[in-house]
Amino acid sequence: QQQVKQSPQSLIVQKGGISIINCAYENTAFDYFPWYQQFPGKGPALLIAIRPDVSEKKEGRFTISFNKSAKQFSLHIMDSQPGDSATYFCAPKTSGTYKYIFGTGTRLKVLA
Amino acid sequence: DTGVSQDPRHKITKRGQNVTFRCDPISEHNRLYWYRQTLGQGPEFLTYFQNEAQLEKSRLLSDRFSAERPKGSFSTLEIQRTEQGDSAMYLCASSYRGTSGTDFYNEQFFGPGTRLTVL
């Protein structure tokens, strides 16, 4: 059984602070590592993603760090804003398929 | 085309009834996915189509669930003899696979979901 463990479950950050969400996996047969953002009543939307041959990727205020040997990847949100308040999911893709395994989610609240 | 659409947005049914949901993907997308999301959890993969072919189906699905994509465009998900445990948000997503052999990583675009309540 492939397992994806996401932490923390919830996170409260002051405006302008850094939000860090972690995802650990047990199965090495993942070949694509995206993070999704979901607002209440909406479907998830891709935020940023990384391939396993890259250790870090930055897009604006969002950065993914990938540690292949530790089987972990994390999302960093710099200068967090109240509009970033949402639930975030890691969702690595199983190699050779199009099956994505979503984490349990992290509910982020950014205080104004 | 404004994105993936799902119909209905909400469905309330009694236990034992059959329900069918529809998903219309983004028009040029040839891959279509179904997920189930319960409160406080991440989406769980149910099944995936490339064009009209159903390429993978989760073991989580019992034989009460069936999905079709007859012409490679819209898809339907049917649940027969619904149970209270089927109550969840059912999400559809689509993505596009280019003709390039290196276009392996693709973005899924999700619809707003159909919320099912089984009484």
Side-chain angles (χ1 to χ4, degrees), chain A residues 31-32 36 38 41-46 51-52 89 93 95-100 102-105, chain B residues 9 31 33 35 37 40-43 45 48 50 56 58 91 97 103-108 110-112:
Chain A
D31 64 359
Y32 179 60
Y36 282 82
Q38 186 176 29
K42 304 285 187 182
L46 180 66
R51 295 168 57 168
F89 297 97
K93 186 183 80 65
S95 177
T97 77
Y98 290 89
K99 183 176 180 179
Y100 293 75
F102 278 75
T104 51
Chain B
R9 295 291 308 276
R31 292 178 177 145
Y33 313 77
Y35 292 85
Q37 186 176 25
Q41 298 296 314
F45 172 86
Y48 146 68
Q50 181 158 306
E56 190 160 353
S58 168
L91 293 164
R97 183 185 188 275
D103 183 22
F104 188 68
Y105 305 103
N106 56 82
E107 176 179 355
Q108 294 181 87
F110 281 83

mmCIF file of all heavy atoms in Angstrom, chain A residues 31-32 36 38 41-46 51-52 89 93 95-100 102-105, chain B residues 9 31 33 35 37 40-43 45 48 50 56 58 91 97 103-108 110-112:
data_model
loop_
_atom_site.group_PDB
_atom_site.id
_atom_site.type_symbol
_atom_site.label_atom_id
_atom_site.label_comp_id
_atom_site.label_asym_id
_atom_site.label_seq_id
_atom_site.Cartn_x
_atom_site.Cartn_y
_atom_site.Cartn_z
ATOM 1 N N ASP A 31 7.146 9.441 -9.567
ATOM 2 C CA ASP A 31 8.022 10.139 -10.511
ATOM 3 C C ASP A 31 7.610 11.583 -10.800
ATOM 4 O O ASP A 31 8.136 12.200 -11.718
ATOM 5 C CB ASP A 31 8.130 9.336 -11.819
ATOM 6 C CG ASP A 31 6.791 9.213 -12.546
ATOM 7 O OD1 ASP A 31 5.779 9.731 -12.047
ATOM 8 O OD2 ASP A 31 6.781 8.583 -13.618
ATOM 9 N N TYR A 32 6.695 12.119 -10.018
ATOM 10 C CA TYR A 32 6.248 13.495 -10.216
ATOM 11 C C TYR A 32 5.639 13.930 -8.905
ATOM 12 O O TYR A 32 4.871 13.177 -8.301
ATOM 13 C CB TYR A 32 5.237 13.536 -11.367
ATOM 14 C CG TYR A 32 4.634 14.884 -11.708
ATOM 15 C CD1 TYR A 32 5.426 15.958 -12.106
ATOM 16 C CD2 TYR A 32 3.259 15.057 -11.690
ATOM 17 C CE1 TYR A 32 4.863 17.169 -12.451
ATOM 18 C CE2 TYR A 32 2.686 16.274 -12.047
ATOM 19 C CZ TYR A 32 3.498 17.322 -12.424
ATOM 20 O OH TYR A 32 2.955 18.524 -12.782
ATOM 21 N N TYR A 36 -1.078 20.737 -4.540
ATOM 22 C CA TYR A 36 -2.348 21.314 -4.944
ATOM 23 C C TYR A 36 -2.882 22.215 -3.841
ATOM 24 O O TYR A 36 -2.656 21.967 -2.649
ATOM 25 C CB TYR A 36 -3.376 20.217 -5.247
ATOM 26 C CG TYR A 36 -3.183 19.555 -6.589
ATOM 27 C CD1 TYR A 36 -2.254 18.534 -6.750
ATOM 28 C CD2 TYR A 36 -3.920 19.964 -7.692
ATOM 29 C CE1 TYR A 36 -2.072 17.927 -7.987
ATOM 30 C CE2 TYR A 36 -3.746 19.370 -8.931
ATOM 31 C CZ TYR A 36 -2.822 18.361 -9.063
ATOM 32 O OH TYR A 36 -2.634 17.769 -10.296
ATOM 33 N N GLN A 38 -6.516 23.960 -2.434
ATOM 34 C CA GLN A 38 -7.965 23.828 -2.546
ATOM 35 C C GLN A 38 -8.660 24.815 -1.616
ATOM 36 O O GLN A 38 -8.382 24.848 -0.410
ATOM 37 C CB GLN A 38 -8.418 22.398 -2.214
ATOM 38 C CG GLN A 38 -9.908 22.153 -2.442
ATOM 39 C CD GLN A 38 -10.313 20.708 -2.200
ATOM 40 O OE1 GLN A 38 -9.712 20.006 -1.408
ATOM 41 N NE2 GLN A 38 -11.352 20.259 -2.900
ATOM 42 N N GLY A 41 -15.318 24.510 -1.237
ATOM 43 C CA GLY A 41 -16.310 24.453 -2.300
ATOM 44 C C GLY A 41 -15.741 24.388 -3.699
ATOM 45 O O GLY A 41 -16.492 24.405 -4.682
ATOM 46 N N LYS A 42 -14.436 24.286 -3.811
ATOM 47 C CA LYS A 42 -13.780 24.230 -5.120
ATOM 48 C C LYS A 42 -12.979 22.937 -5.244
ATOM 49 O O LYS A 42 -12.629 22.309 -4.248
ATOM 50 C CB LYS A 42 -12.820 25.412 -5.284
ATOM 51 C CG LYS A 42 -13.452 26.778 -5.097
ATOM 52 C CD LYS A 42 -14.297 27.162 -6.285
ATOM 53 C CE LYS A 42 -14.782 28.595 -6.162
ATOM 54 N NZ LYS A 42 -15.667 28.955 -7.316
ATOM 55 N N GLY A 43 -12.673 22.574 -6.496
ATOM 56 C CA GLY A 43 -11.762 21.463 -6.699
ATOM 57 C C GLY A 43 -10.326 21.920 -6.485
ATOM 58 O O GLY A 43 -10.025 23.109 -6.525
ATOM 59 N N PRO A 44 -9.413 20.983 -6.252
ATOM 60 C CA PRO A 44 -7.993 21.346 -6.091
ATOM 61 C C PRO A 44 -7.439 21.967 -7.365
ATOM 62 O O PRO A 44 -7.909 21.665 -8.470
ATOM 63 C CB PRO A 44 -7.315 19.999 -5.800
ATOM 64 C CG PRO A 44 -8.402 19.079 -5.386
ATOM 65 C CD PRO A 44 -9.634 19.544 -6.100
ATOM 66 N N ALA A 45 -6.431 22.802 -7.214
ATOM 67 C CA ALA A 45 -5.754 23.417 -8.353
ATOM 68 C C ALA A 45 -4.256 23.260 -8.177
ATOM 69 O O ALA A 45 -3.734 23.455 -7.071
ATOM 70 C CB ALA A 45 -6.134 24.896 -8.478
ATOM 71 N N LEU A 46 -3.578 22.907 -9.263
ATOM 72 C CA LEU A 46 -2.127 22.722 -9.188
ATOM 73 C C LEU A 46 -1.446 24.027 -8.819
ATOM 74 O O LEU A 46 -1.699 25.075 -9.422
ATOM 75 C CB LEU A 46 -1.596 22.226 -10.532
ATOM 76 C CG LEU A 46 -0.089 21.983 -10.585
ATOM 77 C CD1 LEU A 46 0.307 20.826 -9.673
ATOM 78 C CD2 LEU A 46 0.362 21.709 -12.016
ATOM 79 N N ARG A 51 10.024 17.512 -10.593
ATOM 80 C CA ARG A 51 10.436 16.198 -11.061
ATOM 81 C C ARG A 51 11.545 15.686 -10.152
ATOM 82 O O ARG A 51 12.262 16.477 -9.547
ATOM 83 C CB ARG A 51 10.913 16.308 -12.501
ATOM 84 C CG ARG A 51 9.809 16.716 -13.462
ATOM 85 C CD ARG A 51 10.336 17.101 -14.813
ATOM 86 N NE ARG A 51 11.114 16.038 -15.430
ATOM 87 C CZ ARG A 51 11.488 16.056 -16.706
ATOM 88 N NH1 ARG A 51 11.152 17.072 -17.468
ATOM 89 N NH2 ARG A 51 12.207 15.088 -17.209
ATOM 90 N N PRO A 52 11.741 14.385 -10.062
ATOM 91 C CA PRO A 52 12.694 13.833 -9.097
ATOM 92 C C PRO A 52 14.156 14.094 -9.424
ATOM 93 O O PRO A 52 15.025 13.825 -8.597
ATOM 94 C CB PRO A 52 12.376 12.326 -9.125
ATOM 95 C CG PRO A 52 11.730 12.102 -10.436
ATOM 96 C CD PRO A 52 10.977 13.341 -10.744
ATOM 97 N N PHE A 89 -2.476 20.075 -0.528
ATOM 98 C CA PHE A 89 -2.268 18.637 -0.641
ATOM 99 C C PHE A 89 -1.012 18.353 -1.447
ATOM 100 O O PHE A 89 -0.812 18.943 -2.524
ATOM 101 C CB PHE A 89 -3.437 17.966 -1.374
ATOM 102 C CG PHE A 89 -4.761 18.057 -0.689
ATOM 103 C CD1 PHE A 89 -5.676 19.039 -1.034
ATOM 104 C CD2 PHE A 89 -5.102 17.154 0.310
ATOM 105 C CE1 PHE A 89 -6.904 19.116 -0.412
ATOM 106 C CE2 PHE A 89 -6.332 17.229 0.947
ATOM 107 C CZ PHE A 89 -7.229 18.214 0.582
ATOM 108 N N LYS A 93 2.766 11.214 -8.027
ATOM 109 C CA LYS A 93 2.245 10.357 -9.080
ATOM 110 C C LYS A 93 3.017 9.047 -9.150
ATOM 111 O O LYS A 93 4.252 9.038 -9.135
ATOM 112 C CB LYS A 93 2.329 11.065 -10.431
ATOM 113 C CG LYS A 93 1.661 10.282 -11.570
ATOM 114 C CD LYS A 93 1.824 10.954 -12.920
ATOM 115 C CE LYS A 93 3.190 10.694 -13.537
ATOM 116 N NZ LYS A 93 3.401 9.282 -13.869
ATOM 117 N N SER A 95 4.815 6.043 -10.651
ATOM 118 C CA SER A 95 5.608 5.873 -11.868
ATOM 119 C C SER A 95 4.931 4.905 -12.827
ATOM 120 O O SER A 95 4.416 3.861 -12.425
ATOM 121 C CB SER A 95 6.992 5.353 -11.486
ATOM 122 O OG SER A 95 7.768 5.108 -12.632
ATOM 123 N N GLY A 96 4.900 5.273 -14.104
ATOM 124 C CA GLY A 96 4.342 4.392 -15.121
ATOM 125 C C GLY A 96 2.828 4.413 -15.212
ATOM 126 O O GLY A 96 2.248 3.714 -16.039
ATOM 127 N N THR A 97 2.181 5.188 -14.361
ATOM 128 C CA THR A 97 0.725 5.306 -14.397
ATOM 129 C C THR A 97 0.354 6.780 -14.283
ATOM 130 O O THR A 97 1.223 7.643 -14.183
ATOM 131 C CB THR A 97 0.044 4.549 -13.243
ATOM 132 O OG1 THR A 97 0.168 5.309 -12.038
ATOM 133 C CG2 THR A 97 0.649 3.176 -13.046
ATOM 134 N N TYR A 98 -0.929 7.042 -14.265
ATOM 135 C CA TYR A 98 -1.431 8.390 -14.005
ATOM 136 C C TYR A 98 -2.248 8.405 -12.728
ATOM 137 O O TYR A 98 -3.214 9.150 -12.591
ATOM 138 C CB TYR A 98 -2.201 8.926 -15.222
ATOM 139 C CG TYR A 98 -1.243 9.189 -16.341
ATOM 140 C CD1 TYR A 98 -0.926 8.202 -17.262
ATOM 141 C CD2 TYR A 98 -0.567 10.402 -16.408
ATOM 142 C CE1 TYR A 98 0.021 8.435 -18.238
ATOM 143 C CE2 TYR A 98 0.376 10.630 -17.385
ATOM 144 C CZ TYR A 98 0.661 9.638 -18.296
ATOM 145 O OH TYR A 98 1.602 9.864 -19.263
ATOM 146 N N LYS A 99 -1.840 7.589 -11.792
ATOM 147 C CA LYS A 99 -2.493 7.515 -10.495
ATOM 148 C C LYS A 99 -1.753 8.421 -9.518
ATOM 149 O O LYS A 99 -0.560 8.249 -9.277
ATOM 150 C CB LYS A 99 -2.489 6.078 -9.984
ATOM 151 C CG LYS A 99 -3.201 5.875 -8.677
ATOM 152 C CD LYS A 99 -3.216 4.399 -8.311
ATOM 153 C CE LYS A 99 -3.934 4.165 -7.001
ATOM 154 N NZ LYS A 99 -3.972 2.713 -6.669
ATOM 155 N N TYR A 100 -2.473 9.403 -8.977
ATOM 156 C CA TYR A 100 -1.912 10.343 -8.022
ATOM 157 C C TYR A 100 -2.396 9.973 -6.631
ATOM 158 O O TYR A 100 -3.589 9.736 -6.418
ATOM 159 C CB TYR A 100 -2.350 11.777 -8.357
ATOM 160 C CG TYR A 100 -1.776 12.312 -9.650
ATOM 161 C CD1 TYR A 100 -2.265 11.884 -10.885
ATOM 162 C CD2 TYR A 100 -0.751 13.243 -9.633
ATOM 163 C CE1 TYR A 100 -1.734 12.380 -12.066
ATOM 164 C CE2 TYR A 100 -0.221 13.747 -10.816
ATOM 165 C CZ TYR A 100 -0.710 13.304 -12.018
ATOM 166 O OH TYR A 100 -0.183 13.801 -13.186
ATOM 167 N N PHE A 102 -2.974 11.372 -3.078
ATOM 168 C CA PHE A 102 -3.059 12.618 -2.342
ATOM 169 C C PHE A 102 -2.776 12.400 -0.860
ATOM 170 O O PHE A 102 -3.198 11.390 -0.268
ATOM 171 C CB PHE A 102 -4.455 13.226 -2.500
ATOM 172 C CG PHE A 102 -4.637 13.994 -3.782
ATOM 173 C CD1 PHE A 102 -4.784 13.326 -4.988
ATOM 174 C CD2 PHE A 102 -4.663 15.379 -3.778
ATOM 175 C CE1 PHE A 102 -4.944 14.031 -6.178
ATOM 176 C CE2 PHE A 102 -4.841 16.094 -4.964
ATOM 177 C CZ PHE A 102 -4.977 15.420 -6.158
ATOM 178 N N GLY A 103 -2.078 13.367 -0.248
ATOM 179 C CA GLY A 103 -1.925 13.381 1.195
ATOM 180 C C GLY A 103 -3.228 13.777 1.869
ATOM 181 O O GLY A 103 -4.223 14.091 1.200
ATOM 182 N N THR A 104 -3.214 13.789 3.197
ATOM 183 C CA THR A 104 -4.433 14.086 3.956
ATOM 184 C C THR A 104 -4.735 15.567 4.042
ATOM 185 O O THR A 104 -5.803 15.947 4.477
ATOM 186 C CB THR A 104 -4.334 13.510 5.373
ATOM 187 O OG1 THR A 104 -3.096 13.941 5.945
ATOM 188 C CG2 THR A 104 -4.385 11.991 5.344
ATOM 189 N N GLY A 105 -3.790 16.392 3.623
ATOM 190 C CA GLY A 105 -4.058 17.823 3.553
ATOM 191 C C GLY A 105 -3.554 18.599 4.753
ATOM 192 O O GLY A 105 -3.457 18.080 5.870
ATOM 193 N N ARG B 9 -24.285 19.480 -9.130
ATOM 194 C CA ARG B 9 -23.351 19.928 -8.092
ATOM 195 C C ARG B 9 -23.678 19.278 -6.751
ATOM 196 O O ARG B 9 -22.775 19.044 -5.947
ATOM 197 C CB ARG B 9 -23.402 21.447 -7.959
ATOM 198 C CG ARG B 9 -22.914 22.193 -9.187
ATOM 199 C CD ARG B 9 -21.392 22.021 -9.392
ATOM 200 N NE ARG B 9 -20.652 22.340 -8.186
ATOM 201 C CZ ARG B 9 -20.291 23.557 -7.832
ATOM 202 N NH1 ARG B 9 -20.606 24.589 -8.595
ATOM 203 N NH2 ARG B 9 -19.601 23.762 -6.722
ATOM 204 N N ARG B 31 -7.274 13.039 -21.328
ATOM 205 C CA ARG B 31 -7.258 12.222 -20.123
ATOM 206 C C ARG B 31 -8.301 12.728 -19.135
ATOM 207 O O ARG B 31 -8.473 13.944 -18.978
ATOM 208 C CB ARG B 31 -5.874 12.258 -19.468
ATOM 209 C CG ARG B 31 -4.811 11.559 -20.291
ATOM 210 C CD ARG B 31 -3.463 11.651 -19.643
ATOM 211 N NE ARG B 31 -2.463 10.923 -20.414
ATOM 212 C CZ ARG B 31 -1.200 11.298 -20.536
ATOM 213 N NH1 ARG B 31 -0.784 12.390 -19.926
ATOM 214 N NH2 ARG B 31 -0.355 10.586 -21.235
ATOM 215 N N TYR B 33 -10.071 11.863 -15.157
ATOM 216 C CA TYR B 33 -9.896 11.170 -13.882
ATOM 217 C C TYR B 33 -11.135 11.375 -13.013
ATOM 218 O O TYR B 33 -11.747 12.443 -13.029
ATOM 219 C CB TYR B 33 -8.704 11.736 -13.115
ATOM 220 C CG TYR B 33 -7.425 11.918 -13.913
ATOM 221 C CD1 TYR B 33 -7.280 12.999 -14.784
ATOM 222 C CD2 TYR B 33 -6.359 11.043 -13.763
ATOM 223 C CE1 TYR B 33 -6.110 13.187 -15.503
ATOM 224 C CE2 TYR B 33 -5.180 11.227 -14.477
ATOM 225 C CZ TYR B 33 -5.065 12.297 -15.343
ATOM 226 O OH TYR B 33 -3.895 12.482 -16.049
ATOM 227 N N TYR B 35 -12.169 11.108 -8.836
ATOM 228 C CA TYR B 35 -11.696 10.992 -7.467
ATOM 229 C C TYR B 35 -12.888 11.082 -6.526
ATOM 230 O O TYR B 35 -13.915 11.661 -6.852
ATOM 231 C CB TYR B 35 -10.732 12.129 -7.103
ATOM 232 C CG TYR B 35 -9.397 12.116 -7.813
ATOM 233 C CD1 TYR B 35 -9.256 12.701 -9.071
ATOM 234 C CD2 TYR B 35 -8.278 11.555 -7.212
ATOM 235 C CE1 TYR B 35 -8.024 12.713 -9.709
ATOM 236 C CE2 TYR B 35 -7.042 11.566 -7.846
ATOM 237 C CZ TYR B 35 -6.930 12.140 -9.100
ATOM 238 O OH TYR B 35 -5.701 12.163 -9.734
ATOM 239 N N GLN B 37 -13.648 12.418 -2.518
ATOM 240 C CA GLN B 37 -13.081 13.148 -1.393
ATOM 241 C C GLN B 37 -14.087 13.210 -0.258
ATOM 242 O O GLN B 37 -15.185 13.731 -0.415
ATOM 243 C CB GLN B 37 -12.654 14.560 -1.807
ATOM 244 C CG GLN B 37 -11.932 15.326 -0.707
ATOM 245 C CD GLN B 37 -11.423 16.680 -1.159
ATOM 246 O OE1 GLN B 37 -11.942 17.290 -2.090
ATOM 247 N NE2 GLN B 37 -10.367 17.171 -0.509
ATOM 248 N N GLY B 40 -12.387 16.389 5.236
ATOM 249 C CA GLY B 40 -11.132 16.397 5.976
ATOM 250 C C GLY B 40 -10.061 15.482 5.408
ATOM 251 O O GLY B 40 -8.989 15.315 6.016
ATOM 252 N N GLN B 41 -10.332 14.906 4.246
ATOM 253 C CA GLN B 41 -9.362 14.001 3.622
ATOM 254 C C GLN B 41 -8.965 14.510 2.244
ATOM 255 O O GLN B 41 -9.633 15.361 1.656
ATOM 256 C CB GLN B 41 -9.955 12.596 3.481
ATOM 257 C CG GLN B 41 -10.316 11.933 4.791
ATOM 258 C CD GLN B 41 -9.118 11.689 5.666
ATOM 259 O OE1 GLN B 41 -8.073 11.209 5.220
ATOM 260 N NE2 GLN B 41 -9.224 12.058 6.932
ATOM 261 N N GLY B 42 -7.868 13.957 1.735
ATOM 262 C CA GLY B 42 -7.482 14.273 0.372
ATOM 263 C C GLY B 42 -8.264 13.444 -0.619
ATOM 264 O O GLY B 42 -8.844 12.411 -0.269
ATOM 265 N N PRO B 43 -8.302 13.877 -1.877
ATOM 266 C CA PRO B 43 -8.986 13.094 -2.903
ATOM 267 C C PRO B 43 -8.385 11.705 -3.046
ATOM 268 O O PRO B 43 -7.165 11.540 -3.013
ATOM 269 C CB PRO B 43 -8.751 13.922 -4.169
ATOM 270 C CG PRO B 43 -8.512 15.318 -3.690
ATOM 271 C CD PRO B 43 -7.784 15.157 -2.402
ATOM 272 N N PHE B 45 -8.050 8.456 -5.562
ATOM 273 C CA PHE B 45 -8.156 8.078 -6.968
ATOM 274 C C PHE B 45 -9.181 6.957 -7.129
ATOM 275 O O PHE B 45 -9.173 5.978 -6.395
ATOM 276 C CB PHE B 45 -6.785 7.602 -7.462
ATOM 277 C CG PHE B 45 -6.784 7.008 -8.840
ATOM 278 C CD1 PHE B 45 -6.667 7.821 -9.949
ATOM 279 C CD2 PHE B 45 -6.888 5.642 -9.021
ATOM 280 C CE1 PHE B 45 -6.652 7.277 -11.233
ATOM 281 C CE2 PHE B 45 -6.876 5.081 -10.291
ATOM 282 C CZ PHE B 45 -6.759 5.897 -11.393
ATOM 283 N N TYR B 48 -9.316 6.261 -14.207
ATOM 284 C CA TYR B 48 -8.679 7.155 -15.164
ATOM 285 C C TYR B 48 -8.914 6.655 -16.594
ATOM 286 O O TYR B 48 -8.874 5.448 -16.839
ATOM 287 C CB TYR B 48 -7.193 7.235 -14.806
ATOM 288 C CG TYR B 48 -6.233 7.382 -15.959
ATOM 289 C CD1 TYR B 48 -6.198 8.545 -16.714
ATOM 290 C CD2 TYR B 48 -5.355 6.355 -16.282
ATOM 291 C CE1 TYR B 48 -5.316 8.682 -17.766
ATOM 292 C CE2 TYR B 48 -4.464 6.489 -17.333
ATOM 293 C CZ TYR B 48 -4.449 7.661 -18.069
ATOM 294 O OH TYR B 48 -3.574 7.788 -19.119
ATOM 295 N N GLN B 50 -7.960 7.359 -20.803
ATOM 296 C CA GLN B 50 -7.263 8.064 -21.871
ATOM 297 C C GLN B 50 -8.132 7.884 -23.109
ATOM 298 O O GLN B 50 -8.339 6.758 -23.572
ATOM 299 C CB GLN B 50 -5.861 7.524 -22.110
ATOM 300 C CG GLN B 50 -5.144 8.293 -23.222
ATOM 301 C CD GLN B 50 -3.652 8.171 -23.153
ATOM 302 O OE1 GLN B 50 -3.048 8.456 -22.114
ATOM 303 N NE2 GLN B 50 -3.040 7.749 -24.240
ATOM 304 N N GLU B 56 -7.119 2.488 -15.836
ATOM 305 C CA GLU B 56 -6.832 2.060 -14.475
ATOM 306 C C GLU B 56 -8.054 2.286 -13.591
ATOM 307 O O GLU B 56 -8.779 3.263 -13.750
ATOM 308 C CB GLU B 56 -5.624 2.812 -13.911
ATOM 309 C CG GLU B 56 -5.124 2.242 -12.591
ATOM 310 C CD GLU B 56 -3.687 2.646 -12.280
ATOM 311 O OE1 GLU B 56 -3.031 3.256 -13.136
ATOM 312 O OE2 GLU B 56 -3.250 2.338 -11.162
ATOM 313 N N SER B 58 -9.247 1.882 -9.391
ATOM 314 C CA SER B 58 -8.784 1.631 -8.036
ATOM 315 C C SER B 58 -9.443 0.393 -7.457
ATOM 316 O O SER B 58 -10.616 0.103 -7.718
ATOM 317 C CB SER B 58 -9.106 2.849 -7.166
ATOM 318 O OG SER B 58 -8.914 2.543 -5.804
ATOM 319 N N LEU B 91 -15.049 14.139 -7.462
ATOM 320 C CA LEU B 91 -14.327 15.113 -8.270
ATOM 321 C C LEU B 91 -13.899 14.512 -9.596
ATOM 322 O O LEU B 91 -13.476 13.356 -9.656
ATOM 323 C CB LEU B 91 -13.064 15.585 -7.530
ATOM 324 C CG LEU B 91 -13.265 16.410 -6.271
ATOM 325 C CD1 LEU B 91 -11.981 16.457 -5.456
ATOM 326 C CD2 LEU B 91 -13.713 17.819 -6.618
ATOM 327 N N ARG B 97 -2.442 15.175 -22.894
ATOM 328 C CA ARG B 97 -1.168 14.555 -23.215
ATOM 329 C C ARG B 97 -0.798 14.953 -24.626
ATOM 330 O O ARG B 97 -1.499 14.599 -25.563
ATOM 331 C CB ARG B 97 -1.231 13.047 -23.120
ATOM 332 C CG ARG B 97 0.139 12.399 -23.378
ATOM 333 C CD ARG B 97 0.072 10.891 -23.405
ATOM 334 N NE ARG B 97 1.389 10.288 -23.467
ATOM 335 C CZ ARG B 97 2.073 10.080 -24.574
ATOM 336 N NH1 ARG B 97 1.558 10.449 -25.738
ATOM 337 N NH2 ARG B 97 3.269 9.526 -24.533
ATOM 338 N N ASP B 103 6.345 14.477 -23.097
ATOM 339 C CA ASP B 103 5.293 15.186 -22.380
ATOM 340 C C ASP B 103 4.628 14.241 -21.392
ATOM 341 O O ASP B 103 3.495 13.816 -21.558
ATOM 342 C CB ASP B 103 4.256 15.733 -23.366
ATOM 343 C CG ASP B 103 3.181 16.530 -22.668
ATOM 344 O OD1 ASP B 103 3.415 17.018 -21.548
ATOM 345 O OD2 ASP B 103 2.094 16.664 -23.229
ATOM 346 N N PHE B 104 5.376 13.868 -20.380
ATOM 347 C CA PHE B 104 4.901 12.864 -19.446
ATOM 348 C C PHE B 104 4.257 13.493 -18.217
ATOM 349 O O PHE B 104 3.416 12.904 -17.587
ATOM 350 C CB PHE B 104 6.087 11.983 -19.034
ATOM 351 C CG PHE B 104 5.696 10.789 -18.227
ATOM 352 C CD1 PHE B 104 4.964 9.761 -18.806
ATOM 353 C CD2 PHE B 104 6.049 10.689 -16.899
ATOM 354 C CE1 PHE B 104 4.616 8.644 -18.066
ATOM 355 C CE2 PHE B 104 5.698 9.576 -16.157
ATOM 356 C CZ PHE B 104 4.990 8.546 -16.734
ATOM 357 N N TYR B 105 4.678 14.668 -17.879
ATOM 358 C CA TYR B 105 4.182 15.357 -16.689
ATOM 359 C C TYR B 105 3.105 16.337 -17.131
ATOM 360 O O TYR B 105 3.366 17.210 -17.931
ATOM 361 C CB TYR B 105 5.328 16.085 -15.995
ATOM 362 C CG TYR B 105 6.462 15.142 -15.684
ATOM 363 C CD1 TYR B 105 7.606 15.142 -16.469
ATOM 364 C CD2 TYR B 105 6.374 14.241 -14.652
ATOM 365 C CE1 TYR B 105 8.640 14.270 -16.202
ATOM 366 C CE2 TYR B 105 7.407 13.362 -14.382
ATOM 367 C CZ TYR B 105 8.540 13.387 -15.150
ATOM 368 O OH TYR B 105 9.556 12.520 -14.896
ATOM 369 N N ASN B 106 1.911 16.166 -16.625
ATOM 370 C CA ASN B 106 0.814 16.996 -17.105
ATOM 371 C C ASN B 106 -0.034 17.476 -15.929
ATOM 372 O O ASN B 106 -0.135 16.821 -14.917
ATOM 373 C CB ASN B 106 -0.049 16.217 -18.089
ATOM 374 C CG ASN B 106 -0.573 14.927 -17.512
ATOM 375 O OD1 ASN B 106 -1.561 14.912 -16.804
ATOM 376 N ND2 ASN B 106 0.109 13.849 -17.787
ATOM 377 N N GLU B 107 -0.606 18.626 -16.105
ATOM 378 C CA GLU B 107 -1.384 19.242 -15.053
ATOM 379 C C GLU B 107 -2.824 18.768 -15.126
ATOM 380 O O GLU B 107 -3.450 18.804 -16.178
ATOM 381 C CB GLU B 107 -1.333 20.759 -15.181
ATOM 382 C CG GLU B 107 -2.194 21.501 -14.180
ATOM 383 C CD GLU B 107 -2.090 23.008 -14.321
ATOM 384 O OE1 GLU B 107 -1.270 23.458 -15.150
ATOM 385 O OE2 GLU B 107 -2.809 23.715 -13.610
ATOM 386 N N GLN B 108 -3.366 18.363 -13.993
ATOM 387 C CA GLN B 108 -4.770 18.010 -13.910
ATOM 388 C C GLN B 108 -5.565 19.256 -13.560
ATOM 389 O O GLN B 108 -5.196 19.993 -12.644
ATOM 390 C CB GLN B 108 -5.017 16.962 -12.825
ATOM 391 C CG GLN B 108 -4.399 15.612 -13.095
ATOM 392 C CD GLN B 108 -4.722 14.651 -11.985
ATOM 393 O OE1 GLN B 108 -5.754 13.995 -11.993
ATOM 394 N NE2 GLN B 108 -3.849 14.567 -11.019
ATOM 395 N N PHE B 110 -9.164 20.337 -12.174
ATOM 396 C CA PHE B 110 -10.293 19.740 -11.475
ATOM 397 C C PHE B 110 -11.576 20.536 -11.703
ATOM 398 O O PHE B 110 -11.551 21.769 -11.820
ATOM 399 C CB PHE B 110 -10.019 19.681 -9.968
ATOM 400 C CG PHE B 110 -9.134 18.543 -9.560
ATOM 401 C CD1 PHE B 110 -7.757 18.649 -9.661
ATOM 402 C CD2 PHE B 110 -9.689 17.368 -9.080
ATOM 403 C CE1 PHE B 110 -6.934 17.599 -9.269
ATOM 404 C CE2 PHE B 110 -8.879 16.316 -8.693
ATOM 405 C CZ PHE B 110 -7.498 16.427 -8.789
ATOM 406 N N GLY B 111 -12.688 19.816 -11.710
ATOM 407 C CA GLY B 111 -13.987 20.449 -11.693
ATOM 408 C C GLY B 111 -14.390 20.786 -10.268
ATOM 409 O O GLY B 111 -13.659 20.475 -9.319
ATOM 410 N N PRO B 112 -15.577 21.399 -10.082
ATOM 411 C CA PRO B 112 -16.013 21.814 -8.752
ATOM 412 C C PRO B 112 -16.540 20.664 -7.907
ATOM 413 O O PRO B 112 -16.715 20.825 -6.701
ATOM 414 C CB PRO B 112 -17.132 22.813 -9.048
ATOM 415 C CG PRO B 112 -17.681 22.363 -10.354
ATOM 416 C CD PRO B 112 -16.512 21.829 -11.123
#
